[in-house]
């Protein structure tokens, strides 16, 4: 389905698609070790590149050009994620005796939620586009772009306008009436497919499914001392080591969340055997967790030893005014109604399941210890925030307000942890329920976390929370989708057992769930129709076909460069701003250039004065009429090819460009495009 969509919207020409394309091409060109950075010649990629490496390998094995395999990689990611989550949910349901039809429904529901559904903002777009709602309502909704009633109404069944579907990932962003005070991104998988950015967090989805499959297998593996059971146990541990290493290599942001998941299932497994024996729990978590994390790290050690991060630590989110230069910033938390718009699909499907399981628990001899542990785990993120908040100079009175703000999360986490502990000790064949609840707990932590803490990276001011919310919400969407699929299986199986007022409640939940899922479907269908324009053009998966149509000479030049240049080649092209056409030649071929999108290099590596030097040197090479000066600077960066096209002519002027023909071989010329090579 997503490959079909991409055939009507294949262009690799906006947002960060050129960056993703650059890494894919660099991985394809890589012979061994780290791929060369296509936007910083002489350096290797300082990013999470394993996903690109995998897709690049598939491109090589199938002999499919990268301008096609880019779009196929997006579709493949969705397909692998879908098959993975269906398998998890189906087998979780069947392992507890669930009927096949319910397992199938739950599996497909999970697939829908993971790779097709959008959040509830799409419904608001429909309401707004059709003139419903007054000024007070839209100001209360507070979503940038639809904060006042529409001036013109739509003529179609979906909203019109430039990329209206983009707003579904900027719901939480907050304004104080004058300026933006909290800019937040919260993408979800179907948005990623519509947008077409082949990012690490997108490619990690299938690996997440793989790792969680091994976690569930570990939770259901018997520890009896039998040969075949011991073999399965060690096989599962090996799978956890390999998949965790792949997950971190594919997207480093997944490390904290899924290490927590790993430690959670280990703790649950040990608790089911020894109870709340803190010595045994500590020994097991340290031993097994240490082995799995250690082996995973060894498997990707060459990558870990060379990767450098711009993260400086973790800081508390505060409702206080801070000064960044002359710019006043108010760091804000998320409004409850924004939270529901983003997470309504999972609130409707997962929360009733959590409450129902808790309602079924009974009071046992160790309930006090279990209750204390559950409460402590639920409140621990808040306690960490409170300590950091006070250390950072926050006022004591803020502690009460923030506790009230996160109280719904702490309550849900608390009852869920209690339910998990009860199921592990006293539930019969309840490993799948325990695992589903543990996924929900992880999701709640991931959503609650950015209300209290943010990762201190290269973004500051009103962008402080941006990356934290972005990456953690994406992970939360994946784990909630599994929990929701299983919850639907579980709740469907209760249909024949409820009577009276419970039946009315059950039917109400069923109705609300169906309506909510349809609302999630509306966003994706409407966004696909608005952006991809299905059936409006000849379908193709060629991501560079837009260049073929607008600048045939450049398209042919890119093909020539991919065919001509070897893995040791470096090419010179114009340097310009990020999110633009500049860097297109290196991006489309993987051949390193002196400098590409400088802003992104700063994000990956931190500010370096050599970036400005490179930018100036490129300008001199193109503009100088002194051949020796140009050759000296080209030698400095190992440049042996020079590209001249409309960007180079427009930025540097034509005066200095004729010199290249005097000391280099012209190997391609068509229209205004020329490609020069140093004599061999």
């Amino acid at each position: 389905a997503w490959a079909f969509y991409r055939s009507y919207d294949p262009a690799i020409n906006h947002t960060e698609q050129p960056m993703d394309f650059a890494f894919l091409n660099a991985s394809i060109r890589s012979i061994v070790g780290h791929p060369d950075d296509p936007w910083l010649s002489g350096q290797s990629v300082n990013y999470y590149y394993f996903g690109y490496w995998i897709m690049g390998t598939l491109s090589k094995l199938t002999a499919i050009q990268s301008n096609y395999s880019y779009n196929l990689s997006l579709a493949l990611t969705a397909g692998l994620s879908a098959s993975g989550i269906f398998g998890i949910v189906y087998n979780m349901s069947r392992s507890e005796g669930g009927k096949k039809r319910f397992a199938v429904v739950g599996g497909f529901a999970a697939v829908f939620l993971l790779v097709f559904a959008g959040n509830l903002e799409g419904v608001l777009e429909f309401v707004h586009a059709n003139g419903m709602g007054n000024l007070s309502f839209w100001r209360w909704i507070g979503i940038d772009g639809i904060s006042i009633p529409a001036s013109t109404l739509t003529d179609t069944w979906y909203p019109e306008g430039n990329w209206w579907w983009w707003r579904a990932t900027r719901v939480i962003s907050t304004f104080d009436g004058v300026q933006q005070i909290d800019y937040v991104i919260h993408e979800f998988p179907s948005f990623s497919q519509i947008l077409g950015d082949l990012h690490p967090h997108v490619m990690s989805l299938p690996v997440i499914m793989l790792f969680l499959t091994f976690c569930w297998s570990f939770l259901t593996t018997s520890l009896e001392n039998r040969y075949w059971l011991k073999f399965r146990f060690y096989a599962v541990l090996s799978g956890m080591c390999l998949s965790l290493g792949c997950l971190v290599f594919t997207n480093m942001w997944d490390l904290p969340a899924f290490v927590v998941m790993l430690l959670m299932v280990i703790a649950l497994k040990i608790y089911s055997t020894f109870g709340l024996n803190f010595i045994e729990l500590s020994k097991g978590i340290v031993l097994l967790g240490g082995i799995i994390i250690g082996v995973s790290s060894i498997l990707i050690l060459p990558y870990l030893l060379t990767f450098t991060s711009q993260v400086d630590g973790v800081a508390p989110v505060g409702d206080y005014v801070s000064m960044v230069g002359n710019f006043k910033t108010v760091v804000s938390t998320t409004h409850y109604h924004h939270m529901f718009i983003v997470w309504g699909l999972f609130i409707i499907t997962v929360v009733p399941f959590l409450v129902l399981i808790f309602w079924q628990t009974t009071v046992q001899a160790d309930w006090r210890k279990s209750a204390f542990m559950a409460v402590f785990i639920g409140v621990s993120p808040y306690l960490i925030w409170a300590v950091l908040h006070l250390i950072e100079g926050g006022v004591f009175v803020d502690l009460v307000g923030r506790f009230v703000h996160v109280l719904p999360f702490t309550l849900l986490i608390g009852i869920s942890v209690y339910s998990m502990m009860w199921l592990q000790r006293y539930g019969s064949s309840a490993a799948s329920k325990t695992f589903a609840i543990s996924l929900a707990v992880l999701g709640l932590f991931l959503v609650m976390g950015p209300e209290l803490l943010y990762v201190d990276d290269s973004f500051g001011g009103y962008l402080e929370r941006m990356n934290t919310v972005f990456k953690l919400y994406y992970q939360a969407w994946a784990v909630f989708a599994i929990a929701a699929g299983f919850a639907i299986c579980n709740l469907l199986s209760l249909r024949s057992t409820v009577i009276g007022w419970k039946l009315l409640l059950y039917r109400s939940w069923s109705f609300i769930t169906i309506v909510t899922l349809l609302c999630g479907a509306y966003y994706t269908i409407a966004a696909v129709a608005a952006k991809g324009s299905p059936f409006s053009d000849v379908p193709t998966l060629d991501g560079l076909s837009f260049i073929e149509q607008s600048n045939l000479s450049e398209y042919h030049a890119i093909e020539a460069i991919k065919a001509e240049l070897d893995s040791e080649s470096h090419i010179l092209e114009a340097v310009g701003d990020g999110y633009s056409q500049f860097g297109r030649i290196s991006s489309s071929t993987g051949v390193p250039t002196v400098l590409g999108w400088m802003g992104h290099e700063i994000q990956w590596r931190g500010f370096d004065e050599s970036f400005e030097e490179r930018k100036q040197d490129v300008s001199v090479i193109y503009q100088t009429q002194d051949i020796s000066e140009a050759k000296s600077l080209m030698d400095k960066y190992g440049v042996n090819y020079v590209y001249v096209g409309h960007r180079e002519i427009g930025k540097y002027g034509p005066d200095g460009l004729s010199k290249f023909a005097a000391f280099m071989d012209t190997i391609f010329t068509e229209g205004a495009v020329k490609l020069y090579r140093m004599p061999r």
Side-chain angles (χ1 to χ4, degrees), residues 48 200 247-256 303-304 307 475:
Y48 335 118
L247 190 57
V248 175
F249 199 174
T250 304
N251 181 28
M252 185 70 78
W253 277 86
D254 287 336
L255 174 63
Y303 165 71
L304 294 176
F307 176 76
Q475 298 160 2

Side-chain angles (χ1 to χ4, degrees), residues 362-377:
T362 57
V363 176
Q364 300 294 332
D366 61 349
W367 75 270
R368 290 183 179 84
K369 289 183 179 180
S370 299
F372 174 80
M373 179 64 70
V375 171
F376 176 75
I377 292 174

